Amino acid sequence: MMKIGTHFAYWNNTWAVDYIELCHRAKKCGLDVLEVGADHLLNLSDAQLEELRVTAKELGLEISANLGPPKNKDISDKDPAIRADGVKFLCDIMDQMVKIDCNILIGACYNHWPYDFVDIDKEALLDRAVECMKQVGDHADKLGITIALEILNRFESCMINTLDEGIAFCERVGKNSVKLLLDTFHMNIEEVEDIPTVLRRAGDWVKHVHVGEANRMLPGQGHMDWAAIGQALRDINYDGKVVMEPFLLTGGEVGPAIKVWRDLSGNADAEKMDEMMAKAVCVLRSNLNA
Ligand SMILES: [Mn+2]
């Protein structure tokens, strides 16, 4: 059964949030999953992690952990010390994830994000990231965690832009725990085939899905063919999380990072934001049969 979620930054334009409050808000909107910032888990005490685990469990919510590593923890970096720090950073995050029963780490874990495009020696970046990801994958295997590497569009990564590049990377890593995340926003920019065709071709490589309209508005607010996308996910027997990444708000830290330069929410207040989210959940449930 597919589970429907959202990225935590939907409601705010800051990365710093109260996840306990957002768990309740997610539940109110009818969501099954709250996607949190993976690195935030490093800043929470064991007591806070336990509170998050219990709150999510009581509300029937699952948690996924979304990561854009900082530049000084980039496992593709030329500097071996930075790569070693990056491997440790990813392993430390997974150790925290276990404490909240979270078993999926997603994002551009092979690089730093937002990428600065200073080093664009793609082959060398990939070679270094593959070697480090083998170590990270071993730790994930041990913990029962899946790492779903996000395929990003050209404006966010020079390493993995298409499904084929994602599969090639995972095959080189060769770990059961290291698979792919496909995101409709990035696929819409980079893939030659239509999105349902790419999903069908991806098959078992897909361990996490991000959904949003072409401009990252909520499903149902744009022109994506959600019925066809839902059918493709059923065709590959996808039973993981389908997580929205709606970015509608300008300003703060999130607006500039995501390049949201105009309000896409219709100047929504808190109540209206919840209403729009609840409506998008319905759009996905009906199209995904979730
Ligand atoms: Mn995404």
Side-chain angles (χ1 to χ4, degrees), residues 39-235:
D39 53 327
H40 295 168
L41 302 178
L42 295 171
N43 303 326
L44 297 181
S45 67
D46 280 357
Q48 288 172 314
L49 291 168
E50 178 62 8
E51 188 188 7
L52 178 54
R53 185 189 72 79
V54 169
T55 302
K57 190 171 180 207
E58 284 175 357
L59 294 170
L61 279 177
E62 293 184 16
I63 295 178
S64 50
N66 187 324
L67 183 65
K71 190 171 167 64
N72 65 357
K73 312 274 189 209
D74 181 344
I75 64 166
S76 69
D77 199 277
K78 270 196 191 97
D79 181 344
I82 291 178
R83 295 202 296 280
D85 276 356
V87 169
K88 182 174 184 303
F89 178 68
L90 292 166
C91 292
D92 288 349
I93 284 172
M94 289 189 281
D95 290 341
Q96 296 293 83
M97 286 168 56
V98 169
K99 298 175 189 171
I100 55 167
D101 294 339
C102 169
N103 60 13
I104 182 132
L105 175 63
I106 64 112
C109 305
Y110 48 84
N111 203 194
H112 68 268
W113 186 93
Y115 194 55
D116 62 11
F117 294 95
V118 170
D119 186 348
I120 50 169
D121 185 352
K122 177 170 176 164
E123 297 313 316
L125 288 163
L126 287 167
D127 287 348
R128 293 189 291 260
V130 164
E131 289 314 306
C132 291
M133 191 53 73
K134 288 177 183 172
Q135 301 169 48
V136 175
D138 281 337
H139 195 67
D141 276 331
K142 211 162 54 192
L143 298 178
I145 286 174
T146 298
I147 301 173
L149 300 175
E150 182 153 10
I151 300 166
L152 297 173
N153 75 72
R154 67 189 67 189
F155 303 108
E156 297 185 46
S157 172
C158 63
M159 291 173 65
I160 301 178
N161 296 146
T162 64
L163 171 63
D164 292 337
E165 289 183 321
I167 292 173
F169 186 90
C170 289
E171 283 180 340
R172 287 181 66 190
V173 172
K175 302 291 175 189
N176 282 333
S177 54
V178 180
K179 297 284 166 54
L180 295 172
L181 154 58
L182 272 68
D183 180 325
T184 58
F185 166 68
H186 300 297
M187 282 190 272
N188 180 59
I189 295 173
E190 296 297 346
E191 301 289 351
V192 174
E193 299 156 311
D194 59 78
I195 289 170
T197 302
V198 177
L199 288 169
R200 282 193 193 89
R201 203 154 59 74
D204 284 344
W205 286 107
V206 191
K207 295 299 175 199
H208 199 76
V209 175
H210 275 166
V211 291
E213 295 290 350
N215 60 0
R216 312 197 94 164
M217 287 175 76
L218 286 156
Q221 294 184 323
H223 55 75
M224 288 274 176
D225 187 346
W226 298 110
I229 290 167
Q231 185 59 54
L233 290 171
R234 288 194 296 279
D235 288 348

